[in-house]
Amino acid sequence: MAIAGVTSGFLAAYGYQWVYAANASGTLLAACWLAWSYRRQRERTQPGRRDEQADVTLVGPWRDVSFLRSIAALILITLAFDQMYVTLALFLREHYQLGPQWVGYLFTINGLMVVALQLPISRRILRWGLGLSTQLGVLLTGCSFLWLNVGHSVLWPILMMVTLTFGELLLSPSYAHW
């Protein structure tokens, strides 16, 4: 992920068509790898047949109010988080007059922080508890984009990405938990 951020940023500086060509190449390579892996391992890619005789009654998620509240909250915070992918590049260009390579730099910060800090933060979350870490992650994610309105220095987008990444690291266990 860290390499993709830098690479995409540099490719975007030469034209977005190169970013899309690289994305297509990577996706095709992944598809070929999966096809080769399935053939090589001779794994079945179709789900097994369900036993018609089994009489199992499962309680659906629609009756679990706590689960539904958590999912609704995660959807709302994801809407805020995904602004990184949707509007950040436009804002950096218009407000800061930064080129597309800066999106790559910021995603590189994100990727490197995730690689370096995911395990230590996950260990801390075991001590803090999932509820506290999720609340702190939501707070950091929600406030991260406010840094972009503070000034016009490159420091503010960097601080935004660092704050957003800490929020992401604190929220990610709650996504996996539910």
Side-chain angles (χ1 to χ4, degrees), residues 41-119:
Q41 297 297 324
R42 300 179 193 257
E43 293 180 0
R44 292 176 36 158
T45 58
Q46 298 177 352
R49 299 183 86 192
R50 185 174 175 216
D51 185 8
E52 300 290 331
Q53 302 298 325
D55 185 24
V56 178
T57 304
L58 297 176
V59 177
W62 302 112
R63 293 186 183 178
D64 188 346
V65 177
S66 174
F67 171 76
L68 293 174
R69 275 190 294 220
S70 297
I71 292 299
L74 290 174
I75 288 170
L76 291 174
I77 198 61
T78 299
L79 291 174
F81 181 83
D82 280 356
Q83 293 307 303
M84 174 175 68
Y85 305 117
V86 178
T87 60
L88 180 61
L90 296 171
F91 189 80
L92 291 176
R93 186 183 68 205
E94 291 177 13
H95 188 72
Y96 288 96
Q97 285 76 44
L98 295 175
Q101 68 272 19
W102 272 94
V103 175
Y105 300 153
L106 294 174
F107 282 171
T108 299
I109 291 170
N110 176 271
L112 291 173
M113 285 181 65
V114 167
V115 168
L117 299 174
Q118 184 69 64
L119 287 176

Side-chain angles (χ1 to χ4, degrees), residues 117-139:
L117 299 174
Q118 184 69 64
L119 287 176
I121 287 179
S122 293
R123 290 180 154 253
R124 291 271 185 207
I125 289 171
L126 292 174
R127 283 190 241 148
W128 297 338
L130 191 58
L132 179 62
S133 69
T134 300
Q135 291 169 10
L136 185 57
V138 167
L139 179 67

Side-chain angles (χ1 to χ4, degrees), residues 1 3-9 11-12 15-31 85 107:
M1 187 174 153
I3 294 169
V6 171
T7 306
S8 296
L11 290 174
Y16 284 101
Q17 70 271 19
W18 296 110
V19 175
Y20 301 137
N23 286 343
S25 299
T27 303
L28 289 172
L29 182 62
Y85 305 117
F107 282 171

